[in-house]
Amino acid sequence: MSSLMENLHERAEELQAILDGITEPLVLIDSGFRVRRVNKATLEFSSEPDFPSTLGRKCYEVLYNRSAVCPYCPMKDHHENEPDFDAQFEGKGEVGREIFHVANNQKETLYLDFFPIRKDGSIVSIVEKISNITRIKEKEEENLRIRNLASLGIFISGVAHELNNPLTGMSLTLQNLMNNLSSMDPTFFRKRLEMIKEDLTRAAMIVLDVISFAKPDKLVTTNADIHETIMKAKDSVTWVYPVLSKNTEWEILSEPGMTFQFNPVKMERLFINLFKNSLQAYDYGEGKIKVEVRRTRNMMHIFVEDTAGGIPEDMLDKIFSPFFSKNKSGIGTGLGLSICHSIVREHSGELTVRSYDRRTRFKISLPLVQPKGN
């Protein structure tokens, strides 16, 4: 008997040594919320002087200095006189919780793992593991701030670059006018004024993009013709970007009279952004932009397709994110597709994209009647 007790004592010491080698607090809790075993890291966490001072006491008192069961505890509905935790862990394995904890007047973020211990088919006790993830969370928040600052920098750089083009154009045109005022004929003068007007329109469109993203207007819809809106967007894009669209062929598969309830101004902005993306993808080369409108019983589906090379698979889930641009030169604000997505969502619709065989195909699905309250 003596040797058996010595062997058990030796095994218990080995188990305690293993537990103490784990740097995160581990606590064995019985069905009465009493602490049955802890490791050395638990003593440091709870500021308890030794093992006996923790054993037999309530876990919420020892660990979190509470007078009742913790509100985030997965066993909070368990009654202390029940013999097991079966009702709380029915159909579950381990359970995790992320909590805030104040220690030494400092707020910490902890992740708690609860592992059920079974005996004779019932969960008679729980092992709680406490992980301090404060530094990890701080690092994640710092990385998020850095990403946001980087995105803001890219956005500002894109806006500045985009605005610089029309502003430079206007400056050069005005300088040319001033230098040739005395000898300029009316036709030449009118042509230069048209160039200034085009540059002003481009600058206004860029500012409108930023305003639309930062402060979307309340949606006001009317019964309008989607074919007419598409044609207006096409004319606007070819007028503002005459050189970029010079070699582009258009195929518009829709007819006048396709009316339903939407906001024509916002929808025109959507098509302008999609058409501009396609033109930029062709990069002054030859190509075709195909637009097809299909009407079903309750929906209007509009497809916008180009064959300018497609979008890489790893970018498809990012293109609607604000500030994202697949243009390696950094040209553009990166807001165009994000604004498109917002406009479609405002209309209770869906915007999706597919890329295959060097094609990019956007599908806009809009309800024929807007839901009440929209």
Side-chain angles (χ1 to χ4, degrees), residues 88-241:
Q88 279 66 44
F89 280 83
E90 186 177 359
K92 301 176 185 175
E94 66 270 15
V95 176
R97 294 281 190 278
E98 185 178 305
I99 69 164
F100 292 112
H101 175 65
V102 178
N104 300 321
N105 295 321
Q106 290 187 336
K107 188 169 72 172
E108 298 177 329
T109 305
L110 306 178
Y111 192 86
L112 313 180
D113 286 293
F114 299 88
F115 302 93
I117 306 297
R118 299 179 185 274
K119 183 179 180 182
D120 299 328
S122 296
I123 300 172
V124 295
S125 56
I126 298 291
V127 173
E128 179 177 346
K129 180 168 76 75
I130 304 170
S131 304
N132 192 327
I133 59 171
T134 306
R135 299 292 174 265
I136 296 173
K137 283 293 181 181
E138 288 175 353
K139 191 68 176 176
E140 287 177 354
E141 290 174 2
E142 180 64 21
N143 288 337
L144 181 60
R145 283 194 292 270
I146 291 171
R147 286 199 300 271
N148 286 341
L149 286 173
S151 295
L152 185 60
I154 293 168
F155 169 58
I156 292 171
S157 174
V159 171
H161 185 97
E162 288 281 277
L163 282 175
N164 186 59
N165 289 334
L167 290 175
T168 301
M170 284 186 281
S171 176
L172 292 173
T173 306
L174 286 171
Q175 188 176 352
N176 183 268
L177 284 173
M178 292 174 67
N179 291 337
N180 297 279
L181 275 176
S182 58
S183 60
M184 191 177 296
D185 73 20
T187 303
F188 185 81
F189 189 79
R190 191 177 296 109
K191 189 177 291 185
R192 288 294 182 268
L193 288 178
E194 285 291 335
M195 291 172 64
I196 293 173
K197 185 179 178 182
E198 287 179 11
D199 285 330
L200 281 170
T201 303
R202 287 178 63 189
M205 287 171 67
I206 294 163
V207 173
L208 185 61
D209 270 351
V210 178
I211 293 172
S212 297
F213 178 75
K215 188 180 179 181
D217 300 325
K218 184 179 178 180
L219 184 68
V220 178
T221 63
T222 185
N223 202 48
D225 189 340
I226 194 67
H227 173 83
E228 183 181 323
T229 302
I230 292 168
M231 296 308 295
K232 279 185 179 179
K234 170 187 170 293
D235 293 341
S236 296
V237 166
T238 53
W239 180 55
V240 176
Y241 304 102

Side-chain angles (χ1 to χ4, degrees), residues 30-32 78-86 122-125:
D30 68 15
S31 60
H78 171 76
H79 297 292
E80 295 182 20
N81 58 354
E82 293 182 44
D84 54 55
F85 290 113
D86 286 357
S122 296
I123 300 172
V124 295
S125 56

Side-chain angles (χ1 to χ4, degrees), residues 237-357:
V237 166
T238 53
W239 180 55
V240 176
Y241 304 102
V243 180
L244 200 60
S245 60
K246 183 180 179 181
N247 298 314
T248 304
E249 177 189 347
W250 294 82
E251 185 180 2
I252 311 293
L253 301 177
S254 69
E255 298 176 357
M258 305 189 81
T259 59
F260 67 106
Q261 194 178 0
F262 65 94
N263 184 301
V265 176
K266 291 197 171 190
M267 205 56 64
E268 185 179 345
R269 288 296 310 145
L270 180 147
F271 290 119
I272 286 173
N273 279 324
L274 291 181
F275 295 161
K276 185 175 73 172
N277 268 15
S278 294
L279 291 175
Q280 289 176 340
Y282 281 123
D283 194 20
Y284 300 96
E286 293 184 358
K288 181 167 76 172
I289 297 175
K290 180 180 177 181
V291 184
E292 183 178 0
V293 182
R294 300 178 191 168
R295 183 173 188 148
T296 60
R297 184 176 179 181
N298 299 313
M299 303 288 289
M300 190 72 77
H301 303 284
I302 305 104
F303 302 87
V304 178
E305 181 180 287
D306 64 54
T307 54
I311 301 172
E313 188 72 28
D314 59 343
M315 288 187 180
L316 280 175
D317 60 343
K318 302 174 185 176
I319 61 171
F320 296 121
S321 301
F323 316 125
F324 177 78
S325 174
K326 69 187 185 79
N327 194 321
K328 293 181 180 179
S329 65
I331 297 172
T333 62
L335 288 178
L337 289 177
S338 180
I339 290 170
C340 291
H341 192 258
S342 297
I343 290 171
V344 173
R345 288 190 65 183
E346 277 185 285
H347 284 78
S348 303
E350 184 181 20
L351 175 61
T352 57
V353 60
R354 283 186 61 209
S355 188
Y356 60 97
D357 298 334

Side-chain angles (χ1 to χ4, degrees), residues 40-64:
K40 190 175 180 181
T42 305
L43 299 182
E44 296 172 1
F45 175 81
S46 60
S47 300
E48 292 292 335
D50 49 37
F51 292 112
S53 65
T54 65
L55 302 182
R57 292 169 58 193
K58 300 296 185 182
C59 58
Y60 46 81
E61 176 191 338
V62 173
L63 299 174
Y64 306 110

